[in-house]
Amino acid sequence: MSTLTAVALVCTLRNSPSESSSDLIARQVLEQLAQHDISGEVVRVVDYDVRPGVSADEGDGDQWPRLRERVRAADIVLISTPTWLGHMSSIAQRVLERLDAELSEADEQGRPSPVGKIGLVAVVGNEDGAHKITADLFQALNDVGFTIPAQRCTYWNDQAMGSTDYKDLDTVPDTVATTTANLARNAAHLARILREARYPAYE
């Protein structure tokens, strides 16, 4: 059996190589997935010219098709986003809009291309909003066909009206580390099940 793979779509507003809490927590998720023999890569979406739209290719230099290839090749897709004004980043919202095109990309048995892939979420921020962001992201990912495992999100929020960023912490809080490890364990388990037993054909 070929190795399972993961791609982390980091939706920070900061271009590389700027430090990013969303990038950091995404890499921590991939490190935990590696403990289960799953290889992964991080893609910082803002480094690409991803045009607005809901098609697979908006043309005129649109670079979403390059990211789409990585999504379609992966068994596990993680969206990692900061919290801004209580919501996911505009970059994360654009990723969801572009993933909408996958609904019309069915395989020979009528299944949209994300069916059989695992969807995961990571959220960081120094304000409240992680639960709402998680709910919005998972509803959208499920709508386009991703499968959501148990304890499928890891997140960190600073105290109310705080100013600390996740990347500035000296150590990863125990609860975050445990949640990230559980997320990876469950995602790896479910990804292997779906590799062995695909969803039935759509009628």
Side-chain angles (χ1 to χ4, degrees), residues 97-115:
E97 291 162 354
R98 298 307 300 270
L99 285 172
D100 183 76
E102 302 308 313
L103 285 170
S104 60
E105 296 289 333
D107 64 15
E108 67 281 357
Q109 294 185 307
R111 296 171 296 217
S113 60
V115 171

Side-chain angles (χ1 to χ4, degrees), residues 85-105:
L85 300 175
H87 298 274
M88 71 181 82
S89 74
S90 57
I91 303 299
Q93 180 64 41
R94 180 158 298 183
V95 166
L96 294 182
E97 291 162 354
R98 298 307 300 270
L99 285 172
D100 183 76
E102 302 308 313
L103 285 170
S104 60
E105 296 289 333

